[in-house]
Amino acid sequence: MVMENETKNFIEQIIDKDLAEGVYDHVQTRFPPEPNGYLHIGHAKSILLNYGLAQKYQGKFNMRFDDTNPTKEKSEFVESIKEDVAWLGADWEDRLFFASDYFETMYECAVLLIKKGKAFVCDLTAEQIREYRGTLTEPGKNSPYRDRSIEENLELFENMKKGLYKDGEKVLRAKIDMASPNINMRDPVIYRVAHMSHHNTGDAWCIYPMYDFAHPIEDAVEHVTHSVCTLEFEDHRPLYNWVVQECEFDHPPKQIEFAKLYLKNVVTGKRYIKKLVEDGIVDGWDDPRLVSISGLRRRGYTPESIRMFVEMAGVSKSNSTCEMPMLEYCIREDLKMKRPRMMAVLHPLKLVIDNYPEDQVEYMEVQNNQENPDLGVRKVPFCKELYIEQEDFMEVPVKKYFRLYPGNEVRLMNGYFVTCTDIVKDEDGNVIEVHCTYDPETRSGNGFTGRKVKGTIHWVSARHAVKAEVRLYENIVDEERGVYNDEDGSLNLNPNSLVVLKECYLEPNLAEAAAPESFQFVRNGYFCVDSKDSSPKHLVFNRIVSLKSSFKIEQK
Ligand code: ATP
Ligand code: MG
């Protein structure tokens, strides 16, 4: 279990101080995704962090789409992001905002900057602007257009807005300091011309604000107090502060950076996930092998497990990497007590009990979860012909093999002891049927205290079982070779990342299972009904995670 950590993280310490000093009288956070892809596990950290802070300080949490760049944004992404954030439990109530709704305000802020002599229209090309910018070791050069009069700038900016210029012909730049050691402060571009339709504002605008200008305004307009973002924006903070100050916002927001969540050997970045989707390597953004939120959901992860993971990962200012086994640990922990433990055979082998009456069926009463009696009991049919796992039988047993082999006796879980008496092979010599006899005295739950057996195996009744497809997953990349190919930067794909088992047999209690239900299949792991492909006629299950863990939680 995760211990409640009494010490506050560095962001909470900043907030405490701000509240104590009266810098702010409330706490307001936001999650500001750009709708240019689906969310992933890294975003979950940002969502739960921002939402959690608002909760903790009885503040407000805004859901805001940072949709100021029409080139890559789509409504499909807006819808998926809303679904994912809601699913994670971050409730924005009626506080759903779109940065594009503030285009007018941003425009007015730009005009204000021009009037204050703090912004100018520049005719340099993108390439020239880059050349003039200088480097980390050399200062930049002033643009020859830097000293245009306020009147001229106002007129040219108005013309930009009216659509008199082609894309890239003119930009509006903040007038700050071309010699600043921080390159972000060297007269950054704040508006550009782009003749493009926007998913929200259509053709109303042909000038669009740049991120570094738009973002602080969005925060300020919404009265955000603590604008939490990731470390790569640290160098942008002086510009953030410059914008909110020069645009004269009261109680301006404060930017705080934290370290991104990285998962070792896992494809996390939106850009990389997008490429896997576009190249058809995965079955869409919600492929269960992806750590997109929708992929994790389809894989059977719960919001609780993701919350536990994010809490264990913690909030810090220095980059660190988490391991996938930690996430797997969290879903096992979450499902352990909550889900019934069912019997399902993934690689079937027929087992025939020769001395069991042909037409007899017994209904074995089985506890749904041995560790949680609250989940109740169910009945599982038992009869003469069963399926067991192929790996639970060996014709010639290896050392320490305690399961079924000729002459050996094992326990059928929730059933009887059986002893293997004979086998049937096909023409190729494969064992296709195992014969045994059972001892009627040994029925499970009947208080049999006679001899002991070392092996217990699970089974399903051949006559009653329901057939299902089961999908087993591994990492989409080959961990041995690392995520990226050294030569060309492509992904090192794992050819076994998806294994489809077409003929699995499940106990009949699973016949009506439907997404998002999930179960433990005893000895095989946790499985969920696939939300996309499963139907009552053709059940499809995804393995969420196996039962064995390679992750050790450090106990204090
Ligand atoms: P990616 O890095 O995958 O392309 P992004 O940063 O471009 O993602 P945005 O939509 O801009 O995606 O991000 C929305 C919010 O989520 C931002 O505040 C961003 O800092 C945060 N975020 C993105 N990736 C991570 C991560 N790996 N860990 C924590 N927060 C993240
Ligand atoms: Mg981004």
Side-chain angles (χ1 to χ4, degrees), residues 5-120:
N5 194 346
E6 281 304 315
T7 58
K8 295 197 170 181
N9 68 44
F10 80 97
I11 299 178
E12 292 163 350
Q13 289 172 17
I14 293 172
I15 295 177
D16 284 346
K17 189 159 177 283
D18 284 344
L19 292 175
E21 292 174 356
V23 179
Y24 302 110
D25 61 4
H26 69 289
V27 170
Q28 169 122 20
T29 60
R30 85 287 175 264
F31 175 63
E34 190 183 351
N36 62 354
Y38 282 56
L39 300 181
H40 54 64
I41 184 80
H43 296 114
K45 176 163 186 174
S46 175
I47 294 163
L48 295 170
L49 173 60
N50 280 295
Y51 178 68
L53 289 170
Q55 291 278 94
K56 201 161 192 165
Y57 290 91
Q58 282 105 47
K60 289 179 183 148
F61 168 74
N62 290 2
M63 174 73 218
R64 180 212 308 149
F65 285 96
D66 200 338
D67 58 348
T68 54
N69 176 4
T71 42
K72 292 180 290 179
E73 295 160 5
K74 280 205 279 179
S75 301
E76 176 200 349
F77 298 138
V78 171
E79 292 315 311
S80 77
I81 290 171
K82 282 203 273 190
E83 186 181 352
D84 290 349
V85 175
W87 179 75
L88 281 171
D91 184 2
W92 61 81
E93 296 168 9
D94 56 354
R95 314 189 59 76
L96 172 64
F97 303 106
F98 288 84
S100 54
D101 287 339
Y102 316 143
F103 279 162
E104 191 63 43
T105 307
M106 292 171 190
Y107 174 76
E108 284 164 15
C109 285
V111 169
L112 174 66
L113 291 181
I114 296 173
K115 286 183 177 162
K116 291 169 73 171
K118 301 275 180 175
F120 66 100

Side-chain angles (χ1 to χ4, degrees), residues 288-444:
R289 288 167 291 180
L290 296 175
V291 291
S292 56
I293 306 287
S294 52
L296 290 167
R297 176 166 62 235
R298 186 169 163 204
R299 178 75 174 263
Y301 277 83
T302 57
E304 291 82 357
S305 65
I306 295 174
R307 221 173 292 144
M308 188 193 297
F309 174 70
V310 163
E311 274 170 26
M312 284 171 79
V315 180
S316 94
K317 232 167 144 90
S318 54
N319 279 316
S320 66
T321 305
C322 295
E323 311 247 345
M324 197 61 193
M326 185 163 112
L327 183 58
E328 293 173 345
Y329 167 87
C330 293
I331 186 65
R332 275 189 209 100
E333 277 297 299
D334 186 44
L335 299 181
K336 192 163 77 180
M337 308 298 271
K338 288 188 191 166
R339 296 293 189 262
R341 300 174 183 183
M342 316 295 280
M343 293 202 284
V345 172
L346 305 188
H347 298 94
L349 173 63
K350 183 73 82 60
L351 180 77
V352 182
I353 308 172
D354 291 325
N355 60 339
Y356 195 86
E358 191 76 43
D359 299 323
Q360 185 170 313
V361 182
E362 281 178 87
Y363 284 87
M364 305 300 191
E365 188 169 280
V366 176
Q367 278 226 317
N368 283 325
N369 185 323
Q370 290 72 14
E371 290 180 74
N372 180 5
D374 290 348
L375 292 191
V377 295
R378 68 180 190 281
K379 297 233 152 83
V380 183
F382 181 93
C383 63
K384 186 181 177 77
E385 294 198 356
L386 310 173
Y387 288 114
I388 61 170
E389 297 285 353
Q390 285 166 19
E391 63 169 29
D392 285 337
F393 174 80
M394 280 189 109
E395 189 180 1
V396 183
V398 292
K399 236 178 151 184
K400 295 210 170 155
Y401 187 84
F402 300 122
R403 289 169 273 169
L404 215 50
Y405 54 87
N408 194 40
E409 185 173 52
V410 298
R411 179 199 299 282
L412 292 175
M413 187 181 286
N414 310 307
Y416 294 96
F417 285 15
V418 290
T419 303
C420 177
T421 52
D422 199 7
I423 52 178
V424 179
K425 290 186 180 177
D426 65 11
E427 292 144 20
D428 302 326
N430 301 309
V431 177
I432 52 164
E433 225 173 78
V434 175
H435 285 253
C436 63
T437 54
Y438 85 116
D439 176 354
E441 298 300 308
T442 58
R443 181 171 161 158
S444 192

Side-chain angles (χ1 to χ4, degrees), residues 47-272:
I47 294 163
L48 295 170
L49 173 60
N50 280 295
Y51 178 68
L53 289 170
Q55 291 278 94
K56 201 161 192 165
Y57 290 91
Q58 282 105 47
K60 289 179 183 148
F61 168 74
N62 290 2
M63 174 73 218
R64 180 212 308 149
F65 285 96
D66 200 338
D67 58 348
T68 54
N69 176 4
T71 42
K72 292 180 290 179
E73 295 160 5
K74 280 205 279 179
S75 301
E76 176 200 349
F77 298 138
V78 171
E79 292 315 311
S80 77
I81 290 171
K82 282 203 273 190
E83 186 181 352
D84 290 349
V85 175
W87 179 75
L88 281 171
D91 184 2
W92 61 81
E93 296 168 9
D94 56 354
R95 314 189 59 76
L96 172 64
F97 303 106
F98 288 84
S100 54
D101 287 339
Y102 316 143
F103 279 162
E104 191 63 43
T105 307
M106 292 171 190
Y107 174 76
E108 284 164 15
C109 285
V111 169
L112 174 66
L113 291 181
I114 296 173
K115 286 183 177 162
K116 291 169 73 171
K118 301 275 180 175
F120 66 100
V121 173
C122 184
D123 298 6
L124 294 181
T125 63
E127 198 175 322
Q128 288 169 322
I129 290 177
R130 220 173 297 129
E131 280 165 21
Y132 276 65
R133 190 157 47 209
T135 63
L136 284 173
T137 49
E138 289 165 56
K141 278 190 300 187
N142 282 350
S143 161
Y145 305 98
R146 198 172 198 262
D147 296 320
R148 278 175 163 155
S149 69
I150 290 174
E151 289 67 36
E152 189 183 2
N153 280 320
L154 284 172
E155 190 185 329
L156 293 174
F157 188 50
E158 182 66 19
N159 289 343
M160 281 171 68
K161 183 184 177 224
K162 280 187 187 151
L164 299 195
Y165 309 119
K166 292 195 291 286
D167 291 7
E169 202 176 324
K170 284 189 171 34
V171 292
L172 185 71
R173 298 174 67 177
K175 196 190 279 188
I176 309 180
D177 178 7
M178 289 307 290
S180 171
N182 184 335
I183 292 182
N184 294 304
M185 300 298 271
R186 295 184 187 169
D187 294 2
V189 174
I190 58 176
Y191 257 98
R192 63 185 173 127
V193 176
H195 292 272
M196 290 193 106
S197 275
H198 185 276
H199 79 103
N200 184 24
T201 55
D203 296 320
W205 296 87
C206 64
I207 52 171
Y208 290 96
M210 303 303 285
Y211 178 87
D212 279 341
F213 177 65
H215 202 84
I217 297 176
E218 294 158 27
D219 286 340
V221 165
E222 292 175 13
H223 304 293
V224 164
T225 55
H226 299 86
S227 176
V228 178
C229 66
T230 40
L231 279 183
E232 71 271 25
F233 290 102
E234 198 164 19
D235 290 344
H236 298 240
R237 193 184 339 134
L239 180 53
Y240 184 102
N241 291 340
W242 185 91
V243 171
V244 290
Q245 190 192 323
E246 293 299 342
C247 295
E248 301 175 11
F249 286 100
D250 291 334
H251 305 291
K254 174 181 278 194
Q255 175 179 305
I256 305 173
E257 310 86 19
F258 73 102
K260 273 195 174 186
L261 178 85
Y262 286 103
L263 266 177
K264 191 173 159 192
N265 283 335
V266 174
V267 181
T268 322
K270 209 188 293 186
R271 213 158 4 122
Y272 301 102

Side-chain angles (χ1 to χ4, degrees), residues 449-465:
T449 54
R451 60 196 181 277
K452 291 213 158 49
V453 285
K454 278 197 169 150
T456 299
I457 66 177
H458 68 277
W459 50 272
V460 295
S461 159
R463 202 189 313 163
H464 303 89

